[in-house]
Amino acid sequence: ISLRLVRLPSLRNRKFFGSRVICPPEDPATQADGNSKPENLAALQINALVQGAINEQINTELSASHTYLSMSYFFARSGIGLMGFAGLYRSMSNEEQSHADSLAKYLLKRNGAVELNTIKKPATCSWANIGTTLNETVRLENCVSESLSQLYRLAEKQNDVLTTDFIVTEFLTEQIESIREVNLLIARWRTLEKTTNGVYLLNRELEHKFKA
């Protein structure tokens, strides 16, 4: 009788439960290369380039907030008294401030460092021309949106899925709504500016929505 020896598989690192043998699953990343490891797309430590871009975005948000606050204070002057406009821009200033705070808190969660930069003085402190003020508003909103888009593209290039998700869910969708609201306000103003009391009519509408 011819006997053939059969080599049994090693039982090392295998768990026994009764008569069953359960083998731990092999890491697919180590099958082709024993030294390679899968990339951690949810790494806690944030990339240095992404950190720098987030700090720049914080400054962009604070700069927009600063300008909107300047607009709010202008319309709230005793000699002007357009409290609807003052309330609108106070709300927009607070919103940009909140965005900056959210970005800073996110950076801290990722073990990053928040570095605040100098905020430039607004180009003017007089916002008497409503049309010019509204055009500057939509320009600022577009600048913030473009800056956020650049941050998103950088994070995507660095395979930082946490940051890309954060930017989309917390900011970009809201920016679309903000820009639309400002554009609607501009369209409304173009209708009312043809009337003798258009400024006060629009201000009254804003007073129902915002409180300075």
Side-chain angles (χ1 to χ4, degrees):
I1 300 174
S2 174
L3 297 178
R4 185 174 60 178
L5 296 178
V6 178
R7 186 175 181 180
L8 296 176
S10 173
L11 298 181
R12 186 180 181 183
N13 294 329
R14 303 192 180 189
K15 299 178 181 179
F16 290 80
F17 292 89
S19 60
R20 298 176 57 198
V21 179
I22 300 179
C23 303
E26 292 188 37
D27 186 351
T30 60
Q31 292 179 357
D33 183 357
N35 296 322
S36 64
K37 293 182 179 180
E39 182 180 6
N40 184 2
L41 297 180
L44 179 62
Q45 187 66 44
I46 197 165
N47 175 277
L49 292 176
V50 177
Q51 173 179 289
I54 290 178
N55 275 311
E56 290 180 6
Q57 185 63 37
I58 290 173
N59 193 69
T60 298
E61 302 282 352
L62 290 176
S63 180
S65 174
H66 199 55
T67 300
Y68 291 146
L69 193 59
S70 170
M71 294 175 177
S72 178
Y73 286 148
F74 174 82
F75 289 116
R77 289 181 184 178
S78 299
I80 298 176
L82 296 175
M83 302 311 293
F85 282 96
L88 166 67
Y89 286 109
R90 167 69 70 171
S91 175
M92 295 186 73
S93 176
N94 290 342
E95 183 177 297
E96 301 301 336
Q97 176 72 45
S98 176
H99 289 173
D101 190 52
S102 294
L103 286 162
K105 288 179 178 178
Y106 172 76
L107 204 51
L108 294 175
K109 287 180 181 179
R110 296 289 303 278
N111 286 344
V114 178
E115 299 177 3
L116 299 180
N117 296 317
T118 302
I119 300 175
K120 293 183 179 180
K121 178 182 177 180
T124 180
C125 291
S126 177
W127 306 97
N129 188 304
I130 300 298
T132 300
T133 302
L134 291 175
N135 286 333
E136 175 63 11
T137 303
V138 77
R139 187 194 70 81
L140 281 173
E141 289 298 313
N142 281 321
C143 285
V144 170
S145 295
E146 178 57 30
S147 181
L148 285 167
S149 298
Q150 291 177 2
L151 172 56
Y152 174 88
R153 287 191 288 268
L154 174 63
E156 187 177 42
K157 185 177 180 181
Q158 299 299 321
N159 293 326
D160 188 341
V161 295
L162 292 178
T163 298
T164 55
D165 178 70
F166 177 68
I167 295 301
V168 171
T169 57
E170 297 294 328
F171 298 100
L172 287 179
T173 302
E174 185 176 319
Q175 280 299 122
I176 293 174
E177 297 174 357
S178 296
I179 292 174
R180 172 173 167 75
E181 289 178 1
V182 175
N183 282 327
L184 289 174
L185 193 59
I186 291 175
R188 179 63 175 154
W189 167 244
R190 286 173 179 169
T191 300
L192 292 177
E193 70 174 332
K194 301 173 184 178
T195 64
T196 55
N197 59 344
V199 173
Y200 301 100
L201 289 174
L202 184 55
N203 179 72
R204 184 180 299 175
E205 292 177 8
L206 293 174
E207 281 183 327
H208 292 301
K209 296 181 180 180
F210 305 98
K211 185 177 181 180

